[in-house]
Amino acid sequence: MAEHNDEHRPRGTVVLIYIFLACFVIFTYLNWKQLSDVWTVG
């Protein structure tokens, strides 16, 4: 059986992934908002 050691848990990597995901969502939302203001339909 392998021992689970807390020294090798990638906490920083998970934090960076969540930061990147949050920035991606905000960037995508702002781009769609700007695009909907420029391209008026109807």
Side-chain angles (χ1 to χ4, degrees), residues 24-37:
F24 179 75
V25 168
I26 291 170
F27 181 73
T28 304
Y29 170 74
L30 290 177
N31 276 333
W32 275 102
K33 178 138 180 53
Q34 182 183 11
L35 189 66
S36 68
D37 289 340

